Amino acid sequence: SLTKRQSHDHANLWSKILALNLTITICLAYRFLWFNYLKIAVIAAIGFSRLYLGVHWLTDVTTGYGAGLLWLIACIISLELQQKYRLSLEAG
């Protein structure tokens, strides 16, 4: 029904916002190993809960994980390049 579809769209929006926030958190604090394990567990639990509640298909969750992983890689590369650039400026 129309109401169910609207509810699904609303849940989809919030799940994307949450995934983006978690990805940004990972980008900002990826060097703390114990914290990474906690974040990975939370991300996996969120994905599983989306499947369990029936709000998303498996392909939705895996696509979200893939997009988040690509964003994480981009953030890490960006931070590493920024650090190398700063070091090269300091070396003169």
Side-chain angles (χ1 to χ4, degrees), residues 22-34:
L22 286 172
T23 304
I24 290 170
T25 303
I26 289 172
C27 289
L28 295 176
Y30 77 98
R31 292 191 176 146
F32 300 108
L33 191 58
W34 67 270

Side-chain angles (χ1 to χ4, degrees), residues 32-47:
F32 300 108
L33 191 58
W34 67 270
F35 194 56
N36 282 338
Y37 292 135
L38 177 64
K39 290 182 287 189
I40 290 169
V42 169
I43 291 169
I46 290 170

